[in-house]
């Protein structure tokens, strides 16, 4: 019965080798230099053990970056899902099939746009003097509105762009998920004295629980990689109010001091933390 | 409890008219069955009464109140669907409780009512399970419980037994009949199964192409089918039909075609000389006789197929170019190839006009 078959191995080996080179080499190298005191200005460095890691925990900017990253995750994932479910239901409830398709196409466009382009477009839109998004405020009050330079609004403004890209995209997915649900439980609920909103909160969303959790998961991973968006729009500013972990690691390694080992230790810690966190969440969900 | 009145009800999907000028009065406590082939509009009509489909024209009244523009929840109806339509993520208990919770019934009362309904339908052991953990019959019982618990004024059943196997279907049919005996709630039941219709209904509404063919008690529909379609649809095995033309003879009418010469009296049928008619009689009404016996209204032929049904057997033979079925006692039934001869009593003969399909029986 059990036949030894080498075909899977033959097909898997090239892909695995490319993956090993692309993923493992940088990872191992990052761990390797995180244990040294390399700087960009010097060609060599010495092993310092876990000194970089110990330093991190007394670094106020690192602690701040953890906070910003967590806030960023919570805000973008939460808002994306709220917008996606809300808009998806609105489309399903109000739009005729033809209109749905047109809107779905429109809603897919932001996510097709490369994020760097989206970031530039929105950065200009939020420009205090020339931006279209801030223009109404300026026209009414006569005062310029600088959302990206205000520590209270900067992170939320960048998050808005992220939600604009992903919330609209996910709303199309939610719409398509709703269309796949069998209509009878909805009809039964309508006869069971449920109002429209109760049909969604009690029947439709619980029926879509599994795919919605998957969407949340995808968005959580995606939100971790928001470096390009933040880099273009605020560079972590004003001050350090939008400085996420990857942003801070980047500025430590390449912009400010060139402390490449210190930056690597941060990257390694992030990798470990996210691996643990996601494994834990995944297990919980299952 | 309530009566239902449909007056001049129409339903259009774009240019297609699926229900045409439908009129029906359902009395309080009555058990009405909408019967008809697939696509005859019976489910659409039920869904219009439930409020799940818009009413294009006419009026639907429940308990004396026009409900055309009322949402389903305000019509006082409960519905059981063919595929059960349970809420898959909820336990059986929550499924049954859902409607009452929406109606803001106090928790202790919900619990008490669920216990009572569950006891009636034998659902006690399953209350904490999910729908997928139950068999089809149990799921349908949950759906009935969910409908029952709201004490609706009207019960609507949309082919509730179609997804069940034959044995379970019989069992559930009896349960539904018993339930109606007990609750006496006005009920409309949609099915394409004539056995369900015959056994459950106070009155059957037989539909075809979006219009009513005949309304009547099961006995009326079986004994006095108003049209050729009804005659062919009701009764298993199917009624036999032979095309003939009527000729006036001394004491009545002769029904003749090649090889056929039947006599009927003029008391029962309203015929015109030369009228093209369809002669119909049920397989069970054929009486086996010796080939030599001299009787009127005789069909003779060679048995070519014998289907064993248990007590009875269906003998098929060709007579005057038509395939005729005769239901005979299984003991001593003819074998294929045997010559057979049957007689038909005049009382069991049905005649329909070939052009209009209407029964020619005098009322």
């Amino acid at each position: 019965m059990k036949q030894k078959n080498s075909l899977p191995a033959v097909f898997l080996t090239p892909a695995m080798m490319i993956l090993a080179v692309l993923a493992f080499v940088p990872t191992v190298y990052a761990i390797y230099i995180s244990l040294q005191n390399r700087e960009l200005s010097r060609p060599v460095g010495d092993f310092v053990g876990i000194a970089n890691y110990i330093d991190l925990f007394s670094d106020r900017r690192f602690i701040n970056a953890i906070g910003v990253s967590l806030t960023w995750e919570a805000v973008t994932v939460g808002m994306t899902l709220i917008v996606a479910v809300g808009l998806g239901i609105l489309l399903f409830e109000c739009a005729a099939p033809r209109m749905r398709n047109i809107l779905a196409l429109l809603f897919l466009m932001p996510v097709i746009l490369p994020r760097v382009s989206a970031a530039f477009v929105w950065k200009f839109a939020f420009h205090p003097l020339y931006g279209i998004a801030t223009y109404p405020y300026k026209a009414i009050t006569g005062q310029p509105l600088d959302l990206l330079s205000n520590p209270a609004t900067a992170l939320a403004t960048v998050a808005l762009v992220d939600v604009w890209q992903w919330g609209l995209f996910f709303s199309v997915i939610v719409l398509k998920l709703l269309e796949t649900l069998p209509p009878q439980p909805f009809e039964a609920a309508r006869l069971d004295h449920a109002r429209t909103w109760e049909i969604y909160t009690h029947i439709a969303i619980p029926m879509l629980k599994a795919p919605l959790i998957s969407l949340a998961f995808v968005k959580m991973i995606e939100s971790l990689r928001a470096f390009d968006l933040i880099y273009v729009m605020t560079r972590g500013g004003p001050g350090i109010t939008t400085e996420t972990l990857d942003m801070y690691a980047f500025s430590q390694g390449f912009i400010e001091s060139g402390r490449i080992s210190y930056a690597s230790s941060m990257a390694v810690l992030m990798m470990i933390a996210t691996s643990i966190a996601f494994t834990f969440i995944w297990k919980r969900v299952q | 409890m309530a009566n239902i009145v449909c007056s001049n009800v129409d339903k259009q999907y774009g240019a297609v008219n699926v229900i045409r000028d439908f009129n029906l009065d359902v009395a309080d406590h009555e058990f009405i069955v909408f019967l008809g082939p697939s696509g005859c509009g019976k489910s659409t009509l039920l869904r219009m009464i439930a409020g799940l489909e818009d009413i294009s024209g006419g009026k639907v009244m429940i308990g004396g109140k026009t409900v055309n523009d009322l949402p389903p929840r305000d019509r006082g109806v409960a519905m059981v669907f063919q595929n059960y339509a349970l809420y898959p993520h909820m336990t059986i208990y929550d499924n049954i409780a859902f409607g009452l919770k929406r109606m803001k019934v106090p928790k202790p009362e919900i619990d008490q009512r669920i216990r009572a309904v569950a006891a009636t339908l034998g659902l006690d052991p399953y209350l904490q399970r999910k729908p997928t953990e139950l068999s089809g019959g149990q799921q349908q019982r949950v759906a009935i419980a969910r409908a029952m618990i709201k004490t609706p004024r009207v019960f609507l059943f949309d082919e509730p037994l179609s997804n069940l196997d034959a044995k379970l279907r019989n069992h559930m049919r009896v349960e539904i009949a018993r339930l109606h005996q007990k609750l006496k709630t006005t009920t409309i039941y949609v099915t394409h199964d004539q056995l369900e219709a015959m056994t459950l209904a106070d009155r059957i509404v037989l539909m075809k192409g979006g219009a009513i063919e005949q309304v009547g008690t099961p006995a009326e529909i079986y004994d006095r089918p108003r049209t050729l379609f009804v005659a062919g649809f009701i009764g298993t095995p199917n009624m036999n039909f032979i095309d003939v033309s009527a000729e006036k003879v001394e004491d009545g009418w002769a029904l003749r075609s090649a090889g056929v010469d039947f006599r009927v009296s003029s008391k029962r049928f309203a015929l015109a000389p030369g009228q093209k008619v369809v002669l119909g009689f049920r397989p069970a009404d054929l009486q086996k006789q010796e080939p030599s016996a001299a009787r009127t209204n005789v069909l003779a032929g060679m048995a070519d197929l014998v289907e064993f049904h248990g007590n009875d057997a269906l003998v098929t033979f060709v007579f005057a170019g038509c395939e005729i079925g005769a239901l005979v006692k299984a003991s001593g039934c003819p074998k294929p190839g045997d010559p057979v001869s049957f007689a038909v009593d005049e009382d069991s003969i049905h005649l329909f006009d070939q052009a209009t399909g209407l029964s020619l029986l005098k009322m």
Side-chain angles (χ1 to χ4, degrees), chain A residues 218-286:
Chain A
V218 168
K219 182 59 190 142
M220 276 154 106
I221 294 166
E222 202 283 329
S223 282
L224 279 178
R225 309 182 309 149
F227 175 81
D228 38 7
L229 189 63
I230 296 171
Y231 181 80
V232 170
M233 290 190 75
T234 63
R235 296 218 174 193
I240 52 171
T241 46
T242 60
E243 191 171 71
T244 50
L245 281 168
D246 45 4
M247 194 67 225
Y248 180 45
F250 181 75
S251 34
Q252 279 296 315
F254 298 104
I255 300 178
E256 292 169 11
S257 42
R259 293 167 67 194
I260 198 75
S261 284
Y262 192 59
S264 293
S265 66
M266 242 184 275
V268 171
L269 263 190
M270 268 168 68
M271 184 184 73
I272 295 169
T274 47
S275 302
I276 292 172
F278 276 79
T279 311
F280 181 72
I281 297 170
W282 189 244
K283 285 265 152 64
R284 272 296 295 271
V285 167
Q286 284 188 330

Side-chain angles (χ1 to χ4, degrees), chain A residues 181-209, chain B residues 47 50-53 72-74 77-79 81 83-90 95 98-100 102-104 146 150:
Chain A
L181 287 179
Q184 288 85 5
F186 291 65
E187 293 177 342
R190 280 169 68 193
L191 285 157
D192 255 350
H193 299 262
R195 283 157 205 290
T196 307
W197 65 269
E198 287 174 320
I199 292 174
Y200 287 102
T201 53
H202 289 82
I203 310 291
I205 294 175
M207 278 171 87
L208 290 178
K209 194 170 146 203
Chain B
R47 291 167 58 81
L52 297 172
E53 297 273 354
R73 61 168 183 274
D74 295 332
V77 301
M79 185 158 163
F81 295 80
N83 56 7
Y84 328 129
L86 299 178
Y87 312 125
H89 55 285
M90 295 184 196
N95 261 282
F98 186 79
L100 294 184
R102 302 282 82 71
M103 290 158 85
K104 306 259 185 303
R146 184 176 64 180
K150 290 179 291 183

Side-chain angles (χ1 to χ4, degrees), chain B residues 313-354:
Chain B
L314 181 68
V315 179
T316 312
F317 60 98
V318 176
F319 171 74
C322 300
E323 202 164 84
I324 304 292
L327 209 55
V328 299
K329 282 265 166 284
S331 52
C333 76
K335 286 184 285 297
D338 288 353
V340 288
S341 175
F342 297 94
V344 188
D345 265 353
E346 196 200 315
D347 289 346
S348 29
I349 286 178
H350 301 268
L351 292 179
F352 304 94
D353 185 85
Q354 268 186 34

